[in-house]
Coordinates of all heavy atoms in Angstrom, one line a residue:
Q5 N 125.2 -124.9 16.2 CA 124.9 -123.5 15.8 C 124.5 -122.7 17.1 O 123.8 -123.3 17.9 CB 123.8 -123.4 14.9 CG 124.2 -123.9 13.5 CD 123.1 -123.7 12.5 OE1 122.0 -124.1 12.6 NE2 123.4 -122.9 11.4
N9 N 119.5 -114.1 19.1 CA 118.8 -113.5 20.3 C 117.4 -113.7 20.4 O 116.8 -113.8 21.4 CB 119.1 -111.9 20.3 CG 118.6 -111.2 19.0 OD1 118.4 -111.9 18.0 ND2 118.7 -109.9 19.1
L10 N 116.7 -113.8 19.2 CA 115.2 -114.0 19.3 C 114.9 -115.4 19.7 O 114.0 -115.7 20.6 CB 114.6 -113.8 17.8 CG 113.2 -114.2 17.7 CD1 112.3 -113.4 18.7 CD2 112.8 -113.9 16.3
L12 N 116.8 -117.2 21.7 CA 117.0 -117.2 23.1 C 115.9 -116.7 24.0 O 115.5 -117.3 25.0 CB 118.4 -116.5 23.5 CG 119.6 -117.1 23.1 CD1 120.7 -116.2 23.2 CD2 119.9 -118.4 23.8
L14 N 112.7 -116.7 23.0 CA 111.6 -117.6 22.8 C 111.9 -118.8 23.8 O 110.9 -119.3 24.4 CB 111.4 -118.0 21.4 CG 110.9 -116.9 20.6 CD1 110.9 -117.3 19.1 CD2 109.5 -116.4 20.9
E29 N 98.0 -118.3 20.6 CA 98.0 -116.8 20.6 C 99.4 -116.3 20.5 O 99.4 -115.3 19.6 CB 97.4 -116.3 21.9 CG 95.9 -116.7 22.2 CD 95.4 -116.3 23.5 OE1 96.2 -115.7 24.3 OE2 94.2 -116.6 23.9
I30 N 100.4 -116.7 21.1 CA 101.7 -116.3 20.8 C 102.3 -116.4 19.4 O 102.8 -115.5 18.9 CB 102.7 -116.9 22.0 CG1 102.4 -116.4 23.3 CG2 104.1 -116.5 21.6 CD1 103.0 -117.1 24.5
Y37 N 103.3 -109.9 13.8 CA 104.5 -109.0 13.8 C 105.3 -109.1 12.6 O 105.7 -107.9 12.0 CB 105.3 -109.3 15.2 CG 106.6 -108.5 15.1 CD1 106.7 -107.3 15.7 CD2 107.8 -109.1 14.7 CE1 107.9 -106.6 15.7 CE2 109.0 -108.3 14.7 CZ 109.1 -107.1 15.2 OH 110.2 -106.4 15.2
E45 N 108.2 -103.0 4.9 CA 109.2 -103.0 4.0 C 108.8 -102.9 2.6 O 109.4 -102.2 1.7 CB 110.1 -104.3 4.2 CG 111.3 -104.3 3.2 CD 112.4 -103.2 3.4 OE1 112.3 -102.5 4.5 OE2 113.3 -103.2 2.5
L49 N 109.7 -99.9 0.0 CA 110.2 -100.3 -1.5 C 109.2 -99.5 -2.5 O 109.8 -99.0 -3.5 CB 110.4 -101.7 -1.7 CG 111.5 -102.3 -0.9 CD1 111.3 -103.9 -1.0 CD2 112.9 -101.9 -1.5
W50 N 107.9 -99.6 -2.3 CA 107.0 -99.1 -3.1 C 107.3 -97.6 -3.3 O 107.3 -97.1 -4.5 CB 105.6 -99.3 -2.7 CG 104.4 -99.0 -3.5 CD1 104.0 -97.9 -3.8 CD2 103.7 -99.9 -4.3 NE1 102.9 -97.9 -4.7 CE2 102.8 -99.1 -5.0 CE3 103.8 -101.4 -4.6 CZ2 101.9 -99.8 -5.8 CZ3 102.9 -101.9 -5.3 CH2 101.9 -101.2 -6.0
E52 N 110.0 -95.8 -2.4 CA 111.4 -95.5 -2.9 C 111.6 -95.8 -4.4 O 112.3 -95.0 -5.0 CB 112.4 -96.5 -2.1 CG 113.7 -96.4 -2.3 CD 114.6 -97.3 -1.4 OE1 114.7 -97.1 -0.3 OE2 115.2 -98.3 -2.1
N53 N 110.9 -96.7 -4.9 CA 110.9 -97.1 -6.4 C 110.0 -96.6 -7.3 O 109.9 -96.9 -8.5 CB 111.1 -98.5 -6.5 CG 112.4 -99.1 -5.9 OD1 113.4 -98.9 -6.4 ND2 112.2 -99.9 -4.8
T56 N 103.8 -98.5 -9.2 CA 102.5 -98.1 -9.2 C 101.7 -99.5 -9.5 O 102.3 -100.5 -9.7 CB 102.2 -97.2 -10.4 OG1 102.6 -97.9 -11.8 CG2 103.0 -95.8 -10.2
W63 N 104.6 -106.7 -14.0 CA 105.3 -107.8 -13.4 C 104.6 -109.2 -13.4 O 105.1 -110.1 -13.7 CB 105.5 -107.6 -11.9 CG 106.6 -106.6 -11.6 CD1 107.5 -106.0 -12.5 CD2 107.0 -106.0 -10.3 NE1 108.3 -105.1 -11.9 CE2 108.1 -105.2 -10.5 CE3 106.5 -106.2 -9.1 CZ2 108.6 -104.5 -9.5 CZ3 107.2 -105.5 -8.1 CH2 108.2 -104.7 -8.2
P71 N 113.9 -121.3 -20.2 CA 113.4 -122.2 -21.2 C 114.1 -123.5 -21.2 O 115.4 -123.4 -21.1 CB 113.4 -121.5 -22.6 CG 114.4 -120.4 -22.3 CD 114.4 -120.1 -20.9

Side-chain angles (χ1 to χ4, degrees):
Q5 288 184 303
N9 59 343
L10 176 59
L12 287 170
L14 291 173
E29 289 174 5
I30 292 168
Y37 172 82
E45 181 63 11
L49 289 170
W50 190 279
E52 184 178 288
N53 293 295
T56 64
W63 287 354

